[in-house]
Amino acid sequence: MSKKIIILNGSPRSNGNTSALIEQFTKGAEQNGHQVIRFDLQKMNIHPCLGCCKGGKDPTSPCVQKDDMLKIYPHYVEADLVVLASPMYYWSISGQLKTAFDRLFAVAECNPNYANPVKDCVLLMAAEGDSQENFEPVAHFYHALLNNLGWKDRGIVYAGGNMDAGSILQKPEQLKAAFNLGASL
């Protein structure tokens, strides 16, 4: 059965290591008939959450702020699976991804008791460090996020040892892991 997949790309690099992971994941997913839409958050005008709790009045425009999140909301609502793609910044996801994800709360405000839509989720992450200890804070954040949202983890690709843009191209096993994850859905 074809899935609707939304990719939130939190990398500021247009042709960086995270983008290479996304491209391979997308090839694998589309090969199996899934529909994929990608949002490069760095190129979008997205403001941080105001914490006003005044959204949720209009499902077609759930947030009081009117910026490029309006392009994301309808795809997020329809998506079966959300891909969180980010380089590791100070042992966490990038600010671009965190800012956009925080703004998804406006969709939860449309529902009784702030119920978030239930989704499957994937994490794609490139990083300089390449140890389990390096990825531990991200793993904790990701699993806590999914647990609290009631989402299902469909897989993670940690691509360590990639500091310079394009260094992942010398690690075909990491790119293959992203492709295989997309193809496995």
Side-chain angles (χ1 to χ4, degrees):
M1 183 173 153
S2 177
K3 294 185 180 298
K4 292 182 179 180
I5 300 172
I6 182 175
I7 299 176
L8 300 176
N9 176 17
S11 178
R13 294 178 176 167
S14 295
N15 296 306
N17 300 311
T18 303
S19 289
L21 290 172
I22 291 168
E23 289 166 13
Q24 289 302 308
F25 174 88
T26 299
K27 284 181 187 176
E30 288 179 343
Q31 174 180 291
N32 283 335
H34 301 301
Q35 300 170 32
V36 180
I37 185 161
R38 169 181 171 168
F39 291 97
D40 294 320
L41 304 172
Q42 173 66 23
K43 297 176 184 175
M44 300 177 76
N45 179 26
I46 299 174
H47 302 283
C49 179
L50 298 173
C52 66
C53 295
K54 293 182 180 174
K57 294 174 180 59
D58 178 1
T60 62
S61 180
C63 186
V64 298
Q65 297 187 75
K66 304 307 175 205
D67 58 14
D68 284 345
M69 282 301 294
L70 290 172
K71 298 175 185 176
I72 295 174
Y73 289 132
H75 297 283
Y76 168 69
V77 169
E78 292 180 4
D80 301 301
L81 185 137
V82 177
V83 177
L84 305 178
S86 178
M88 180 182 286
Y89 281 9
Y90 281 95
W91 300 275
S92 187
I93 60 174
S94 71
Q96 292 89 336
L97 180 55
K98 181 71 167 90
T99 297
F101 202 88
D102 285 351
R103 292 282 303 284
L104 295 176
F105 181 69
V107 174
E109 288 181 295
C110 293
N111 299 311
N113 302 318
Y114 301 115
N116 287 282
V118 177
K119 308 285 181 189
D120 288 347
C121 195
V122 161
L123 175 63
L124 303 176
M125 177 165 278
E128 178 184 8
D130 194 18
S131 67
Q132 181 177 348
E133 182 180 71
N134 183 66
F135 289 108
E136 190 173 300
V138 173
H140 178 76
F141 168 78
Y142 176 71
H143 291 295
L145 178 69
L146 269 55
N147 184 53
N148 285 295
L149 293 175
W151 290 12
K152 180 180 178 185
D153 173 33
R154 293 300 304 266
I156 300 170
V157 175
Y158 293 128
N162 296 300
M163 176 64 174
D164 298 325
S167 62
I168 198 169
L169 301 177
Q170 305 307 313
K171 298 178 178 76
E173 69 283 358
Q174 293 177 347
L175 298 173
K176 183 74 171 168
F179 177 88
N180 289 343
L181 180 53
S184 73
L185 301 173

